[in-house]
Each structure stands twice: as C-alpha cells, then as structure tokens.
C-alpha cells in the first residue's frame, strides 16, 4: 500500500496524500471545538470537491472524480458534520456497474461511450439560489439540486427544460435576487448566457459570438452588466478539426473581456482587449461612473510545459499541464473611451478567492484567498485578506504541515459591515489526515481561530464552497 501510494505521488499526485478519496459517508453531531462556536453563526457551510468512487485507469487529473459534499451546519453554538456523494447520473451508473465507465479528462475522450464521452461529475461549484442548493461542473454539466443540511440529492434543475447544462460559477445578485450563469462548449454556440429570476424562472437566455471554442471558467457581474472572458489559453484551434483537444497558450492573443447589459441579447456584447493571460477566478466587479472595474486572479504563464515561460523564480504548483501562478489583479474598462487599465495589486500567489457576497456586483474592499504553499501540487498554507482600497493585506498561517481550502465568508447574524463575519474552511494535517473546520474572524484574520472544530474523518482537499444562511435553509423548495 505504501509503495502504491508512493508511486501515486510521482505518477498520479492528485490521488495521493490528502487528495486521496475517502469512501465513507457519515454524520457527526456536536463536534468538539477548541474555542466556543459562535452563536451568531447560523447556517450551513458546504464544500464541493472531487472524490472518485472508482478511479479510471490511465492519467488522473485532479478535476476527475465524483462530487462529494462536506458540510457543517451551525445552530445555537453547536455544529454537525455530514458528507455525501452527489448522486449524479454518472455516479449511479458506475455504482451499478461496480467500476469506472469513463476515462479521465486528460485521456482521449471515448466518443463511442453510449453515456457520452465525458463524465458529468458536478464536482466543482456549489451555489444557493431560489430555494435550491445547486452543484455545478467546470466543463458545463447538469445542475444538481441537493438538500441542506442532509446533502440528499433531489434531482436536476433545468429551468423548465430550457437549460441542459451550465458551467461552474453562476453569480447571484444579492439585491435583485437574480442568478446569472454561462455555459461553454467546443462546438457552436460556444458561449451561452442566461438570467434566472429570484423565483427560479428562466428570464433571459442568449448566445454570445466567439471566434471559436474557449475555456472560460468564471464570469462576473455588476449592477447592470455581465462580464465574460475570452482568454489566451484555449483548445488549439488547429487541432480541433482532428478531434484533438490540446490546450495551448497564445502569447500574441489578447485576453478579451466582454461586457453585456444584464438582460441584453448577446449581440450587444462589447469587447475590451487586455494583455494575454488566463484567469480562473474573478472576485468582484462593479461600476464607477462610466467605468467597470474587475478584480480577479491573473496567471501570465498558465502552461507548465511552455518553453517560453520565464526561467527562474519560485516554482509554481501544477495540475496536469496547468501551471498555477495567480496574482491579484485589477482591470478597469472605460465604457466612454474604450480604454483598458491594468494594475497588479499583490505579488502573493493566491487563488480560490472569496468575498462578502452580500455586496457582489457593488464596490467591495476585501477579498479572502488561499495562499499557495511552496509545493508541487496545489496546497494553501494560509488565507490572505486583501484590501483593494488601501493595498494592505493580512495573512493567517495554518500550523506547519496543515493545509486549508477555499475560505467562505459567513456574515455574523445581523451584521452589516463588509468584513463583519467569519471565514470558514477545512484545515487538514497532511501527515495524519486529522481534519478541522476553522472559523476565523474575518475582521481580524491574523488572530487565533475563533473556533477549531474536530471533524471525525479526513476531509480530502477540494474546491468551492458556499455559506447557506439559516434563512435560506428554511426556504428550500422541493424538486418537481
Ligand atoms: Fe472554480
């Protein structure tokens, strides 16, 4: 076993250490805590991530694997942990077969697979909207509805049968209650965009013209606009006609930002050009008079094997062929003059940014991102809080050998100020698997955690998170 795991560290690093899947689904009430669990923290913290039930042979990419949710619900100063796989159609089919039925995303897709060439895992993001917690997939898949806090899979959301697939990272407007989503495909239409009403009705659906297929992972919203990304890293268009999906980075191709009035047809999109890069995650965008400001994490050299990458410097972690060297960055688009201003905000390598979603689309000041450890794989040795007004930053370092995940912002009950609340993330000891849920004071991230809750099983490293306030838990709608 040790040999096998040792080999995986070399050949399949995202199946080893704390990336290794777990195979138990448990519920644990009254989690013991170092530090009192705050009584003004009421709701459910949910985290999505890849946790393969059956590992396919061949190359394994961290983004392969079935969705497993880990959740901690808070009520009256007490906390309960649960974890469940999302019962996707693919998960159920493999359960029935007792084996993997798809290859990983970095293997050549099997177009003869009767269930489709790619496994829709729903393993990436999680968002609450219109009374439903939805899980989504980075390559664009069905949106699954999961009930909190039980984590029971209730079916899929198709918005009246009109939306088959959506990408990860829909955006919920905290004021209007609308949800904006996008979907991208390797065939036309390459980019689809939609708006869902606060009641869960599809209000707007349009396509946006692109010169070819692109690899958007995120979008952004302001009060009036939705913003789309057309970046310099994409499937090599020269190879696509041969059925090959090889990702290439074109240093001479500007990154384009498409700004579209929220309810306008895609033909009204206006493109702004900036320097070549890749962006996994945006943080926020807002309007300042005639200007639109976007803050996000910029990667200038996103491919590990690119011979044109600058030499020297600190090695960046890789996931498969991807090289992760993201830094906080700001783009300003002048709608009057068409000019673009670009500005680096922080040199710290950090990603999986979160903010106070109560002001998404409005001017914000603070963001909270996972700080990269010096490691060949993606590990966060702390969380960094950035103040984009002043340029200041603060960090909370986890103990040596312990790594965290995305830190969600959970407002204190009744709070109004942007950082008046908690940051929540799982922190795991790489050597022992001992897992804790950290609750930090968002206004004072450098301080000792407010509470550290002991989770009675290892929580593998995962992806995106959501905070479901108690009021949203209470207003969940059944499916069907
Ligand atoms: Fe993401």
């Amino acid at each position: 076993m040790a040999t096998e795991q040792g080999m995986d560290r070399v050949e399949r690093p995202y199946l080893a250490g704390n990336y290794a899947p777990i195979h138990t689904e448990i519920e644990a009430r009254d989690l013991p805590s170092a530090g009192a669990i705050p009584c003004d923290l009421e709701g459910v913290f949910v985290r999505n991530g890849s946790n393969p039930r059956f590992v396919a042979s061949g190359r394994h990419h961290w983004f392969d694997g079935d969705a497993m949710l880990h959740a901690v619900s808070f009520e009256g100063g007490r906390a309960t942990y649960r974890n469940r796989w999302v019962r996707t159609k693919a998960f159920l089919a493999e359960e029935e077969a007792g084996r993997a039925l798809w290859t990983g995303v970095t293997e050549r897709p099997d177009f003869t697979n009767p269930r489709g060439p790619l496994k829709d895992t729903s393993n990436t993001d999680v968002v609450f909207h219109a009374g439903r917690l939805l899980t989504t997939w980075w390559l664009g898949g069905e949106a699954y509805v999961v009930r909190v806090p039980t984590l029971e899979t209730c079916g899929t959301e198709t918005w009246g049968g009109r939306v088959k697939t959506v990408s990860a990272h829909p955006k919920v407007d905290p004021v209007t209650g609308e949800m904006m989503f996008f979907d991208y495909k390797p065939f036309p239409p390459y980019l689809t965009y939609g708006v869902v009403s606060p009641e869960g009705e599809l209000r707007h659906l349009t396509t946006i013209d692109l010169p070819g297929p692109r690899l958007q992972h995120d979008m952004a919203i302001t009060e009036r606009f939705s913003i789309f990304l057309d970046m310099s890293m994409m499937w090599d268009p020269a190879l696509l006609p041969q059925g090959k999906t090889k990702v290439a980075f074109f240093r001479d191709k500007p990154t384009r930002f498409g700004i579209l009035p929220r309810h306008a047809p895609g033909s009204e999109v206006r493109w702004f050009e900036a320097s070549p890069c890749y962006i996994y995650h945006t943080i926020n965008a807002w309007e300042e008079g005639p200007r639109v400001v976007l803050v996000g994490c910029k990667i200038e050299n996103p491919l590990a094997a690119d011979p044109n990458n600058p030499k020297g410097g600190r090695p960046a972690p890789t996931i498969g062929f991807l090289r992760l060297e993201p830094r906080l960055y700001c783009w300003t688009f002048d709608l009057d003059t068409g000019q673009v201003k670009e500005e680096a905000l922080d040199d710290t390598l950090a990603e999986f940014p979160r903010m106070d979603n109560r002001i998404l689309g409005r001017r914000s000041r603070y963001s909270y991102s996972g700080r990269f450890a010096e490691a060949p794989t993606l590990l966060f040795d702390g969380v960094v809080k950035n103040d984009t007004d002043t340029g200041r930053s603060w960090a909370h370092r986890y103990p040596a050998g312990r790594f965290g995940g995305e830190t969600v912002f959970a407002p204190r009950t009744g709070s109004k100020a942007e950082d008046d609340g908690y940051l929540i993330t799982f922190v795991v000891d790489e050597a022992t698997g001992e897992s804790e849920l950290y609750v930090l004071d968002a206004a004072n991230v450098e301080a000792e955690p407010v509470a550290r809750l002991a989770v009675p099983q290892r929580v593998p490293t995962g992806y995106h998170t959501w905070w479901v306030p108690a009021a949203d838990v209470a207003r969940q709608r059944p499916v069907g």
Side-chain angles (χ1 to χ4, degrees):
M1 190 67 188
T3 310
E4 235 174 67
Q5 173 130 108
M7 258 173 92
D8 270 343
R9 277 189 192 281
V10 178
E11 295 180 354
R12 300 203 282 182
Y14 285 95
L15 285 172
N18 197 41
Y19 303 103
I22 61 171
H23 294 279
T24 46
E25 298 182 310
I26 67 168
E27 174 180 310
R29 293 178 180 273
D30 285 321
L31 299 182
S33 175
I37 299 171
C39 287
D40 55 5
L41 180 60
E42 299 170 295
V44 184
F45 168 75
V46 186
R47 200 215 66 195
N48 203 348
S50 146
N51 192 98
R53 171 75 177 84
F54 301 100
V55 176
S57 58
R59 283 193 293 263
H60 177 83
H61 193 280
W62 188 32
F63 301 165
D64 294 332
D66 305 286
M68 181 179 272
L69 300 176
H70 297 259
V72 176
S73 42
F74 294 87
E75 190 178 7
R78 298 165 74 174
T80 299
Y81 164 84
R82 294 177 182 86
N83 73 303
R84 296 281 183 281
W85 269 296
V86 179
R87 265 60 185 179
T88 61
K89 290 165 190 167
F91 177 90
L92 295 173
E94 290 195 341
E95 274 280 286
E96 196 181 341
R99 64 185 174 87
L101 296 173
W102 284 267
T103 54
V105 292
T106 44
E107 290 289 340
R108 182 183 280 261
D110 177 6
F111 288 97
T112 66
N113 189 333
R115 295 175 179 86
L118 292 168
K119 181 180 177 185
D120 178 353
T121 61
S122 211
N123 68 12
T124 311
D125 197 14
V126 56
V127 60
F128 191 93
H129 181 250
R132 285 176 180 162
L133 187 78
L134 305 170
T135 60
T136 55
W137 186 42
W138 62 284
L139 263 173
E142 292 186 277
Y144 280 85
V145 182
V146 174
R147 194 157 182 89
V148 280
T150 58
L151 303 183
E152 170 199 359
T153 306
C154 304
T156 56
E157 174 62 272
T158 62
W159 293 284
R162 293 175 65 195
V163 180
K164 212 171 160 191
T165 57
V166 296
S167 171
H169 299 300
K171 303 292 177 193
V172 178
D173 185 312
V175 176
T176 71
E178 290 171 305
M179 184 178 83
M180 279 54 72
F181 68 85
F182 73 100
D183 192 30
Y184 65 103
K185 288 284 172 276
F187 43 79
Y190 298 120
L191 181 59
T192 305
Y193 159 68
V195 182
V196 181
S197 77
E199 296 77 31
E201 303 291 329
L202 188 69
R203 184 173 271 177
H204 180 53
L205 190 64
T206 188
T207 58
I208 295 168
D209 269 350
L210 287 171
R214 294 294 186 265
L215 292 171
Q216 305 92 331
H217 180 72
D218 204 350
M219 62 176 288
I221 60 164
T222 71
E223 283 186 67
R224 292 183 297 154
F225 300 107
S226 290
I227 305 173
F228 306 95
L229 305 170
D230 169 4
M231 295 168 288
S232 323
M233 187 180 89
M234 64 183 86
W235 287 304
D236 189 337
L239 299 177
L240 275 175
Q242 304 161 35
K244 292 180 185 165
T245 50
K246 183 176 187 294
V247 174
F249 181 64
F250 296 94
R251 289 175 186 277
D252 54 349
K253 182 204 169 304
T255 280
R256 298 196 307 155
F257 296 82
I259 301 184
L260 178 70
R262 182 175 290 181
H263 301 103
S267 57
E268 289 184 23
V269 72
R270 190 170 159 198
W271 292 102
F272 292 77
E273 291 191 356
S275 57
C277 70
Y278 194 73
I279 301 161
Y280 272 102
H281 298 111
T282 66
I283 299 171
N284 196 19
W286 62 85
E287 295 160 42
E288 288 182 1
R291 288 178 289 279
V292 170
V293 178
L294 171 69
V295 180
C297 303
K298 176 183 179 183
I299 304 179
E300 290 184 336
N301 300 289
L303 293 185
D306 191 332
N308 297 311
N309 285 346
K311 304 287 182 277
R314 178 185 157 173
T318 58
I319 306 173
F321 55 82
L322 299 169
R323 177 176 179 274
L324 302 173
E325 196 180 29
R327 293 183 169 92
L328 190 66
Y329 209 78
C330 180
W331 295 262
T332 305
F333 312 100
D334 192 312
L335 301 179
D336 285 347
T337 65
Q339 288 194 320
V340 179
K341 188 177 133 204
E342 305 187 53
E343 189 184 1
L345 298 181
D346 191 339
D347 206 35
T348 306
L349 297 192
E351 242 288 359
F352 281 68
R354 294 306 300 254
M355 60 164 292
D356 183 343
N357 275 352
R358 296 176 300 176
I359 51 170
L360 188 75
R362 284 79 188 161
R363 187 187 173 105
S364 61
R365 182 170 177 181
Y366 301 116
S367 61
Y368 313 92
S369 307
R371 208 182 82 138
F372 285 20
E374 289 206 34
T377 58
L378 184 61
L379 293 170
F380 300 142
D381 66 8
V383 55
V384 59
K385 173 181 180 178
N386 286 98
D387 178 346
T388 45
D389 273 8
T390 65
R392 284 194 68 186
S393 67
W394 305 264
H396 183 96
R397 289 286 303 271
Y398 306 128
R402 296 193 171 215
F403 302 100
E406 180 175 277
T407 48
V408 83
F409 175 82
R412 212 183 290 276
T413 305
S415 89
K416 293 282 187 288
E418 185 183 337
D419 61 352
D420 188 6
Y422 303 97
L423 300 182
I424 305 177
T425 188
F426 289 111
V427 176
V428 181
D429 188 301
E430 183 76 2
T432 66
E434 188 187 347
S435 300
E436 294 177 310
L437 188 80
Y438 268 45
V439 179
L440 300 171
D441 180 354
N444 187 8
V445 295
E446 292 172 324
E448 287 297 305
V450 174
R452 288 185 291 116
L453 287 65
V455 178
Q457 70 178 350
R458 183 171 63 82
V459 179
T461 310
Y463 313 131
H464 294 297
T465 58
W466 195 262
W467 172 252
V468 190
D472 281 349
V473 176
R475 70 184 184 100
Q476 290 179 92
R477 291 186 298 134
V479 173

